Each structure stands twice: as structure tokens, then as C-alpha cells.
Amino acid sequence: MKSKTVASILRHVASKLVPTHDGEVAAVSTGELAALTPSQPSEKESKKERRARKAAGEDVGLVEQADLPIGGPNEEERLEKLYDTIAWPLGKKYGHPYDAFKLALTEPDTVFSSLETPIAPTTLSLLLATIARRLTPQPIKLRADIEVTCYTPAGIDAIKKALRAGENVSTEAVPIKAKLVAPPLYVLSTNATDKYAAVDKLEKAIEIIQSTIEDQGGNLVVKMKPKAVSETEEQDLAQLMAKAGQENAEVSGDEDEEE
């Protein structure tokens, strides 16, 4: 899994960067790539010119060093150079290139300054953007379904108090919201990047709600334990809540007519 992710990241970078005729490195779109990639004669000519500059004693080391992560005009050559100059050295230091890329999300300078071969700015910029897009955790939605009842004089006020106590378990990373579906069914939901931390917080919220409502003479029953939910499940819940809302509105309308 790690190796496939690293390969996907580097392949994307290799496909988007090509060396131009003046030795600079450019980021290109898929449509521009064919137009900017030199033909075979130009490639040979470029190599001859490079050898000529070396023979003349020109300081081409700086340019070549900056372009090392790119390699040649062929995508496979560029990919191989990315592995040779970035992935393998980082893997040697951090155990796996994937682990280095994960650390680079928060400490890019620490990770890439350790490389013996400096990365061209354009390459580094695209690499960091690709890493951020592929490795930044995406929030997932989690939910728990509970039934809360209280038939004492405290009634609905006790239920509201218990639900607020559950919501107070929220943190910035795991915000918890309690919503009414249809009495006595409520849902506790959250969006979080850490699934296990979110499940733990939802379980604690349920414990606090249960403790609070029982102190008021009420009761709580868990209908669905905390878990990650799919879009389909969320749509089903939304439809159920809409149906319950419509039924409540109809009941309210009937009562108004009777009055």
C-alpha cells in the first residue's frame, strides 16, 4: 500500500514536469506535455550541447543538480530520477519514502533539506502539492443512534440537558452534534479524520448522556453503536428525518384545526 502510494505520487510528478530547451524546469498540463517534449533529434542535440559545455569547463553542475529530479524528456527517465534522488534516499533515512512524505506534510524543510541532491524549486512545489492532495487525511462521518426517554416531570428538559452534556464532550478535532430524528430517536454525529478517536468520543458522549438522563429518572438505549457511515446511510437518515418532520407538521396542523 505504501509503495503504491509513493509510486502514484512520483508518477504524477514525473508526468507533469519536463525540462525545457533552456535548461529550466516547467510544470505542464497533459495537453502541453506532448508539445513540450523534445523529439529524438533534439534530445541528441541537447546531450551533445551538454557534453560540449562540460568540455568547455562551464559550470553546468548547478543547473544539472537542480534538474536531477527530472532526468530526461522521457517520463520513465524522469520517474527513475525521482526515485534515485528523492524516494530511495528518503527511504534510507526514514524507513520508507511514504513515512518521509507523511512527515513532509508538516515538516517539509526538515525532510527535503536532508537530501544530498537539492530538488529544483518547481519540482519541489509540485511534489509537495501532490503529497498534500494524496496524503492529507480526509474527514469521515461517524454516527451513533440512541433512544432517549424521560417520563418524569423533568421530561423534555431533562433530555435536552443530557444531550447538551453529550455534545460538551466535543473537541476541535472531534465535534459532536446531537439531532432529533423522531422521538425518542436521536443521532450523535461527527466529522473527523481520526476514526478511532471519533468512535471513542462518541462512546464517551453516550456514557455521559446515559448517566445524566438516568439521574433525572430517564433512560437511554443504544440503537446503533458509533461507526463510520456511508453516503447512502446518510441519505437514508436525511429522508427519515424529513419524513418525521413532515408528519410532525401534519399533526401540528390537525391540532390547529381542532382548536
Side-chain angles (χ1 to χ4, degrees), residues 90-125:
L90 290 179
K92 186 176 181 180
K93 179 172 182 178
Y94 293 96
H96 196 285
Y98 179 90
D99 298 320
F101 287 174
K102 286 286 286 185
L103 181 60
L105 288 171
T106 54
E107 302 179 33
D109 293 339
T110 300
V111 172
F112 295 112
S113 64
S114 65
L115 293 171
E116 292 184 4
T117 304
I119 306 177
T122 309
T123 305
L124 180 59
S125 177

Side-chain angles (χ1 to χ4, degrees), residues 4 27 52 66 75 100 104 119 134 149 151 169 176 215 229 241:
K4 287 184 178 180
E75 183 177 319
I119 306 177
R134 301 289 175 87
T149 56
Y151 300 112
V169 175
I176 296 174
D215 287 344
V229 290
M241 294 178 69

Side-chain angles (χ1 to χ4, degrees), residues 70-159:
I70 305 304
N74 181 276
E75 183 177 319
E76 293 303 320
E77 293 178 13
R78 295 195 296 274
L79 181 60
E80 182 179 354
K81 189 63 71 175
L82 286 168
Y83 271 103
D84 289 343
T85 59
I86 300 176
W88 301 144
L90 290 179
K92 186 176 181 180
K93 179 172 182 178
Y94 293 96
H96 196 285
Y98 179 90
D99 298 320
F101 287 174
K102 286 286 286 185
L103 181 60
L105 288 171
T106 54
E107 302 179 33
D109 293 339
T110 300
V111 172
F112 295 112
S113 64
S114 65
L115 293 171
E116 292 184 4
T117 304
I119 306 177
T122 309
T123 305
L124 180 59
S125 177
L126 179 57
L127 177 59
L128 288 174
T130 306
I131 288 172
R133 186 167 62 253
R134 301 289 175 87
L135 299 187
T136 299
Q138 297 301 311
I140 57 176
K141 180 160 285 189
L142 297 97
R143 196 181 91 211
D145 296 355
I146 57 176
E147 285 187 353
V148 186
T149 56
C150 184
Y151 300 112
T152 68
I156 188 63
D157 291 332
I159 293 175

Side-chain angles (χ1 to χ4, degrees), residues 162-257:
L163 294 174
R164 281 196 297 268
E167 289 181 331
N168 288 338
V169 175
S170 298
T171 63
E172 185 176 349
V174 186
I176 296 174
K177 189 68 177 176
K179 290 183 180 180
L180 170 66
V181 179
L185 182 62
Y186 297 82
V187 294
L188 300 176
S189 60
T190 184
N191 285 323
T193 57
D194 188 333
K195 175 182 175 180
Y196 300 102
V199 168
D200 182 63
K201 284 293 183 183
L202 285 171
E203 288 177 343
K204 288 182 178 178
I206 291 172
E207 290 175 4
I208 289 177
I209 294 171
Q210 184 167 15
S211 174
T212 305
I213 197 66
E214 287 180 351
D215 287 344
Q216 299 292 318
N219 188 42
L220 180 148
V221 177
V222 177
K223 303 301 291 184
M224 184 180 78
K225 293 181 178 181
K227 71 167 191 172
V229 290
S230 65
E231 285 297 322
T232 301
E233 289 174 305
E234 282 301 285
Q235 290 173 3
D236 291 342
L237 175 64
Q239 291 176 1
L240 180 60
M241 294 178 69
K243 181 180 179 181
Q246 183 177 358
E247 290 175 352
N248 288 337
E250 290 175 354
V251 170
S252 176
D254 292 341
E255 291 177 350
D256 290 342
E257 289 178 3

Side-chain angles (χ1 to χ4, degrees), residues 58-75:
E58 292 180 23
D59 185 13
V60 297
L62 188 61
V63 174
E64 290 195 339
Q65 190 177 47
D67 287 348
L68 270 175
I70 305 304
N74 181 276
E75 183 177 319

